Amino acid sequence: MQHFLDIADLSADELSDLLDLATRLKTEWLGRGNLPLLSGKVLGMVFQKPSLRTRVSFEVGMLHLGGQALYLSPDEIGLGKRESIADVARVLSRYVQGIMARVFAHDHVLELARYATVPVINGLSDYNHPCQALADMLTIQERHKRIKGLKIAYVGDGNNVATSLLMAASKLGAHFAIATPPDYALQASVIARAGEFAQESGGQISVTTDPGTAAEDADVIYTDTWTSMGKEAEAERRRLAFPPYQVNRALVERAHPDCIVMHCLPAHRGEEITDEVADGPHSALFDQAENRMHAQKAVLVRLMAD
Ligand code: CP
Ligand code: NVA
């Protein structure tokens, strides 16, 4: 593993290995703390979009491992505006031992990786969010003690979070059922790619526009905001299309009684998820947020430790 850009780039074994390492690092951290595996190392964090979880979990994760992180705000770097992406990658590589980037265009994180001489981690692009999916798989594994064979229902926008979750579920042999409004489906090419992974792992993919069908007997119900960062101009139109896709008590009652409810956060309570469900007994929302840190520490160790 040279970079961490897309779950689709990892083999199922690499993905399982990262989950095992994340579990080990989490147990260690909650016990006596982690070894300073990244002592003297610095992670440069380039942000084109806002963040709470990604910024704080990477920064704190680096501290736990004896390293440091630098927050570089959208105004400071001007990725591709003040300076070419290739030059930003070349310059940062002379100062830091790893780069984490949150970008709009997915090509921009790929270009950073092409020109950097240090590992690059994708902290979300308009196309995908692999760190989130890794943390989500860790959360599912903790709560259900397995991933293979589970039904993971994603209800809402066919967006970056849905894409990475689909890739991870397909690699690990889960049944991924997605319900989106007709105009907000996942790209056919993404489904086709995941279909190949599912064939190999024994997983399954179902696509529908009916949230109840997706949620039926599900072990996990997952949702995300109706309007992702960068799509704010479409918010009004989206607010009309998405209300039938709200994760509320009626939808959760369609699922398996032990079902967990997940959301990458930030949540727009009262839109894609009700308070009752977000704060209810099925909710795994804040475990997911915590697990961002544990999962990413595994990525940092695999990419940056000597
Ligand atoms: N889930 C997630 O990536 O949150 P942030 O946008 O706050 O980083
Ligand atoms: N789909 C959301 C995820 C935020 C973590 C967005 O891109 O804004």
Side-chain angles (χ1 to χ4, degrees):
M1 203 169 84
Q2 205 186 343
H3 302 290
F4 186 75
L5 305 173
D6 191 337
I7 298 287
D9 296 341
L10 304 177
S11 68
D13 283 348
E14 282 172 323
L15 197 49
S16 301
D17 170 71
L18 279 174
L19 291 173
D20 289 348
L21 180 56
T23 303
R24 277 211 305 282
L25 291 168
K26 179 172 179 176
T27 309
E28 243 172 59
W29 173 250
L30 296 174
R32 270 190 280 167
N34 298 129
L35 295 171
L37 297 170
L38 299 182
S39 169
K41 308 256 168 140
V42 179
L43 178 73
M45 306 192 295
V46 179
F47 282 91
Q48 286 187 327
K49 296 175 176 174
S51 167
L52 169 62
R53 280 145 291 272
T54 304
R55 180 193 171 167
V56 179
S57 58
F58 268 109
E59 192 159 336
V60 174
M62 281 301 289
L63 292 177
H64 288 177
L65 294 164
Q68 283 185 50
L70 284 180
Y71 171 68
L72 302 161
S73 77
D75 297 339
E76 275 165 306
I77 301 252
L79 199 64
K81 293 189 187 116
R82 181 170 184 267
E83 197 162 358
S84 77
I85 295 169
D87 283 354
V88 170
R90 291 177 181 119
V91 171
L92 275 177
S93 299
R94 302 288 179 109
Y95 300 131
V96 299
Q97 289 68 47
I99 299 170
M100 192 282 295
R102 164 166 285 196
V103 299
F104 286 97
H106 187 64
D107 279 352
H108 289 182
V109 74
L110 298 182
E111 199 169 338
L112 273 175
R114 192 170 321 128
Y115 291 99
T117 54
V118 298
V120 173
I121 299 170
N122 176 2
L124 177 144
S125 74
D126 285 349
Y127 169 66
N128 66 358
H129 197 359
C131 294
Q132 184 67 52
L134 189 67
D136 295 339
M137 289 298 137
L138 181 62
T139 308
I140 293 170
Q141 191 167 272
E142 284 176 355
R143 291 288 192 112
H144 282 304
K145 311 293 170 218
R146 67 192 170 108
I147 294 169
K148 200 173 172 67
L150 293 180
K151 181 177 183 185
I152 302 173
Y154 180 98
V155 177
D157 188 19
N159 63 12
N160 44 10
V161 168
T163 297
S164 287
L165 194 68
L166 164 65
M167 294 300 173
S170 311
K171 289 264 175 187
L172 297 175
H175 173 190
F176 186 82
I178 181 164
T180 68
D183 291 344
Y184 299 95
L186 280 170
Q187 293 165 41
S189 57
V190 167
I191 305 264
R193 181 106 195 266
E196 291 167 22
F197 302 146
Q199 220 161 23
E200 232 170 274
S201 68
Q204 197 186 327
I205 301 170
S206 350
V207 179
T208 175
T209 54
D210 178 31
T213 305
E216 201 66 54
D217 215 24
D219 301 290
V220 176
I221 297 185
Y222 200 116
T223 192
D224 184 14
T225 180
W226 295 340
T227 302
S228 284
M229 293 179 278
K231 303 250 192 266
E232 289 79 5
E234 299 173 16
E236 203 78 340
R237 194 162 75 93
R238 287 170 172 266
R239 239 177 247 124
L240 296 176
F242 280 99
Y245 296 82
Q246 184 184 65
V247 174
N248 50 32
R249 192 209 306 197
L251 193 73
V252 174
E253 281 173 358
R254 303 282 295 263
H256 191 277
D258 292 337
C259 144
I260 58 168
V261 173
M262 303 181 76
H263 189 311
C264 58
L265 303 177
H268 302 77
R269 289 162 173 260
E271 292 194 1
E272 74 273 6
I273 192 164
T274 58
D275 280 333
E276 185 185 24
V277 170
D279 301 325
H282 297 279
S283 174
L285 271 53
F286 300 101
D287 285 0
Q288 283 176 266
E290 178 184 336
N291 279 338
R292 287 291 303 276
M293 182 175 73
H294 304 299
Q296 288 158 195
K297 278 159 75 172
V299 174
L300 291 166
V301 166
R302 274 291 169 269
L303 292 176
M304 290 171 68
D306 293 326

